[in-house]
């Protein structure tokens, strides 16, 4: 059974409808058409109003967009800048890995040359006038470079895994922020409903107090106290409306693009389903943060191997085939092959210092991985605790709302009978409003904690919400 946040009038509304503006109607004359004089007056008034309010007319009101939770999350992923840049980083790192693979293949190059000298008849050298044409093809292959190529390939592969984990982390962060902003907007709309109902109750209490004063059953102090409560509730209503506007602005910024008035759909979820499956052991290993730290360790280890390879010799093979032309004819091709071994014996200690730096970076990466695993495990446990605490608070808040509604109704009835003071009625009203807000906040805190749990594990997806109905699948 899906639990819903309730108000005094039943299920809380998930959005506020607005009436479309009326069209301006023309005023016909007695004969069914505008009189000439009236037509001129109306035209002049229209031009005057247009010149006065030209700036106001230039401002286009924002569009209204009704979005379910799934639609909002999908739109946020498609437009989030961090996600887009992280995706481009993955593409760039994949290209870098392919470049590291390319060094294992041989290289082939071709060259050509042409030379000529002026003859004596052209004012040149006495023995000039001979033209020479040459062409050559050279192929080379590095047979062994101390394992540096393998180390570089491993480093680029680890960097690719790190970029992919960073992309997944950016997606989780975007989804988590969008869910929080979406729920904040829903809560703000509920709070706005509560503020409107509270103002209506306060105004009704004020009118009732005034009537009792006229009947001699209330004092002026009671009337003033009721009027102060009405003023306070009006202030709270203004604050609630501002909270709704701010929440819409934040959500629209997360969705990207121009500002739109987002109308959310009430999220539907069953808290008991979110708490049905216990947290599995070792689940922190699937976290994007852990994957990034592990990739960093692999990358640092490969860098250390690359620095070690600088101490070993190199073995290169090359082959060249060249042709040359003399007297209009190409001679026999000249083919050569070579096998070269090189070994740098001393570089002023640069290799030793570079190796020391790489080893220090590898040790640092290992410490960071150990700390990241500990932190992720703590975050998972805390999110699980927050879910259970929010559920307990929600159960208590629902009971408090029911009791506060009964208490306010009884205090109002007793005040009508003259057996209670207005202070007690207004105190009961404040308690009712606060309990309603607490019930709404604790209900959605369950979903917030669950989203945090999935985000830390890296399993938060937009497809979890079918429309605005949560379909949890613990992975």
């Amino acid at each position: 059974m899906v639990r819903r946040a309730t108000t005094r009038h039943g299920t809380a509304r998930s959005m506020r409808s607005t009436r479309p503006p009326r069209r301006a109607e023309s005023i016909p004359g007695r004969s069914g058409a505008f009189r000439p004089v009236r037509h001129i007056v109306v035209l002049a008034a229209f031009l005057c109003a247009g010149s006065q309010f030209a700036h106001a007319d230039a401002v286009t009101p924002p569009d209204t967009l009704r979005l379910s939770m799934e639609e909002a999350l999908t739109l946020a992923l498609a437009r989030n800048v961090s996600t887009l840049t992280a995706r481009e980083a993955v593409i760039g790192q994949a290209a870098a890995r392919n470049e590291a693979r390319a060094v294992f293949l041989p290289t082939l190059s071709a060259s050509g040359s042409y030379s000529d000298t002026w003859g004596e008849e052209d004012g040149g050298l006495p023995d000039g006038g001979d033209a020479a044409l040459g062409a050559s093809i050279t192929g080379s292959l590095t047979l062994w470079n101390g394992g540096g190529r393998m180390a570089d390939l491993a480093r680029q592969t680890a960097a690719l895994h790190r970029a992919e984990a960073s992309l997944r982390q950016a997606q989780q962060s975007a989804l988590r922020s969008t869910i929080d902003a979406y729920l904040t907007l829903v809560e703000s709309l509920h709070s706005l409903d509560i503020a409107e109902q509270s103002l209506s109750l306060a105004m009704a209490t004020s009118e009732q107090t005034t009537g009792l004063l006229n009947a001699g059953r209330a004092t002026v102090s009671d009337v003033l106290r009721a009027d102060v409560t009405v003023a306070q509730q009006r202030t709270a209503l203004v604050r609630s409306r501002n909270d709704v506007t701010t929440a819409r602005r934040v959500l629209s910024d997360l969705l990207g693009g121009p500002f739109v008035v987002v109308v959310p759909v009430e999220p539907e979820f069953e808290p008991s389903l979110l708490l049905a499956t216990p947290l599995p052991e070792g689940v922190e290993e699937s976290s994007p943060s852990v994957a990034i730290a592990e990739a960093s360790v692999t990358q640092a280890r490969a860098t250390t191997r690359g620095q070690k390879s600088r101490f070993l010799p190199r073995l290169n093979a090359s082959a060249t085939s060249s042709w040359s032309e003399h007297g209009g004819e190409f001679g026999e091709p000249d083919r050569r092959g070579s096998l070269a071994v090189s070994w740098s014996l001393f570089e002023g200690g640069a290799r030793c210092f570079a190796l020391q730096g790489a080893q220090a970076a590898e040790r640092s990466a290992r410490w960071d991985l150990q700390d990241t695993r500990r932190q992720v495990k703590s975050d998972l446990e805390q999110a699980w605790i927050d879910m259970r605490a929010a559920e307990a608070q929600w159960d208590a808040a629902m009971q408090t709302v029911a009791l506060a509604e009964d208490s306010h109704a009884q205090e109002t009835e007793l005040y009508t009978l003259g057996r209670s003071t207005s202070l007690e009625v207004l105190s009961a009203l404040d308690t009712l409003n606060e309990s309603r807000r607490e019930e709404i906040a604790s209900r959605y805190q369950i979903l917030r904690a669950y989203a945090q749990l999935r985000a830390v594990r890296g399993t938060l997806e937009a497809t979890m919400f079918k429309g605005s109905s949560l379909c949890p699948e613990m992975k």
Side-chain angles (χ1 to χ4, degrees):
M1 177 179 179
V2 179
R3 298 178 179 176
R4 298 174 180 265
T6 57
T7 64
R8 183 174 179 270
H9 299 287
T11 303
R13 292 172 293 176
S14 62
M15 67 174 184
R16 299 184 55 80
S17 61
T18 57
R19 294 182 179 179
R22 288 186 174 181
R23 294 184 177 179
E25 299 177 354
S26 61
I27 304 176
R30 295 181 180 178
S31 59
F34 283 109
R35 292 182 177 180
V37 176
R38 181 175 297 179
H39 181 76
I40 295 175
V41 172
V42 173
L43 180 60
F46 175 78
L47 293 177
C48 181
S51 62
Q52 293 179 357
F53 301 101
H55 178 70
D57 292 340
V59 179
T60 303
D63 295 331
T64 300
L65 184 61
R66 181 182 176 88
L67 288 178
S68 65
M69 181 76 83
E70 182 182 16
E71 293 170 340
L73 295 177
T74 303
L75 189 60
L77 283 181
R79 294 179 176 179
N80 183 265
V81 176
S82 299
T83 302
L84 295 176
T85 54
R87 185 175 291 110
E88 294 299 329
V90 170
I91 297 175
Q93 194 55 52
R97 184 186 63 174
N98 293 333
E99 183 180 358
R101 288 175 175 175
V103 300
F104 289 90
L105 301 177
T107 59
L108 186 64
S109 60
S111 62
S113 63
Y114 173 79
S115 61
D116 194 4
T117 57
W118 290 348
E120 186 177 0
E121 64 277 5
D122 298 327
L125 299 177
D127 57 349
D130 293 333
L133 181 64
S136 65
I137 297 178
T138 303
S140 62
L141 177 63
T142 300
L143 300 178
W144 171 252
N145 70 338
R149 293 178 299 177
M150 294 295 298
D152 185 59
L153 178 59
R155 184 172 62 86
Q156 297 296 343
T157 302
L160 176 60
H161 294 162
R162 178 186 174 91
E164 292 173 345
S166 298
L167 172 60
R168 189 154 59 100
Q169 188 178 51
Q171 292 173 339
Q172 299 299 300
S173 178
L175 292 173
R176 177 70 180 84
S177 300
T178 305
I179 289 176
D180 185 70
Y182 193 94
L183 294 180
T184 300
L185 177 56
V186 175
E187 289 181 14
S188 300
L189 291 173
H190 283 305
S191 298
L192 180 59
D193 289 338
I194 293 174
E196 290 177 345
Q197 295 173 16
S198 299
L199 178 59
S200 299
L201 290 175
M203 294 177 66
T205 303
S206 178
E207 293 176 358
Q208 186 179 21
T209 304
T210 303
L212 292 176
L213 176 65
N214 297 331
R217 298 171 57 186
T219 64
V220 176
S221 177
D222 294 334
V223 175
L224 293 177
R225 190 180 295 113
D227 291 340
V228 169
T229 302
V230 171
Q232 291 176 344
Q233 294 302 328
R234 284 175 177 169
T235 303
L237 179 60
V238 173
R239 190 183 302 111
S240 297
R241 288 173 178 170
N242 183 68
D243 291 341
V244 170
T245 303
T246 302
R248 282 198 168 114
R249 175 69 64 178
V250 172
L251 181 57
S252 180
D253 291 341
L254 289 174
L255 297 180
F259 173 72
V260 294
V261 177
V262 178
V263 179
V265 180
E266 178 77 18
E268 297 180 359
F269 62 97
E270 176 55 51
S272 61
L273 294 179
L274 307 184
L275 299 165
T277 305
L279 191 65
E281 295 293 337
V283 71
E284 64 272 8
E285 296 297 330
S286 63
S287 171
S289 300
V290 174
I292 292 174
E294 289 178 343
S296 298
V297 171
T298 305
Q299 192 174 2
R301 187 186 302 117
T303 302
T304 302
R305 288 170 49 195
Q307 294 298 333
K308 290 181 178 179
S309 68
R310 296 175 58 185
F311 291 87
L312 301 177
R314 267 70 171 160
L315 181 61
N316 298 311
S318 62
T320 303
S321 181
S322 59
W323 296 265
S324 60
E325 181 266 339
H326 294 283
E329 294 182 359
F330 278 98
E332 293 294 327
D334 183 13
R335 298 184 178 90
R336 296 180 181 181
S338 64
L339 188 63
V341 178
S342 62
W343 193 359
S344 179
L345 300 179
F346 183 68
E347 295 180 356
R351 293 177 295 182
C352 295
F353 299 143
L355 179 59
Q356 291 177 2
Q359 290 173 341
E362 182 179 353
R363 290 192 297 269
S364 177
R366 292 181 184 276
W367 284 113
D368 183 69
L369 173 59
Q370 182 178 354
D371 182 69
T372 300
R373 285 175 175 169
R374 180 194 60 79
Q375 186 62 46
V376 169
K377 184 177 181 180
S378 176
D379 292 342
L380 289 172
E381 293 176 351
Q382 185 61 47
W384 196 257
I385 293 173
D386 291 343
M387 287 178 58
R388 295 188 177 276
E391 184 194 30
Q393 292 175 0
W394 184 47
D395 291 337
M398 287 190 298
Q399 297 176 6
T400 304
V401 169
L403 294 175
E405 288 178 347
D406 294 340
S407 175
H408 180 263
Q410 291 178 4
E411 291 294 343
T412 302
E413 184 177 357
L414 291 175
Y415 181 69
T416 304
L417 299 176
R419 300 171 58 186
S420 178
T421 64
S422 61
L423 181 61
E424 293 172 335
V425 175
L426 298 176
S427 177
L429 177 61
D430 292 338
T431 302
L432 176 59
N433 295 336
E434 186 63 27
S435 61
R436 284 174 175 172
R437 293 188 180 94
E438 181 64 26
E439 189 269 339
I440 294 172
S442 58
R443 167 178 163 80
Y444 289 113
Q445 182 59 30
I446 299 176
L447 186 55
R448 280 191 173 94
Y450 179 75
Q452 175 65 16
L453 176 67
R454 296 293 295 263
V456 173
R457 296 180 57 189
T459 58
L460 186 60
E461 302 291 342
T463 54
M464 289 170 50
F465 293 88
K466 302 301 180 183
S468 281
S469 299
L470 177 62
C471 303
E473 295 178 1
M474 300 298 291
K475 296 182 180 179

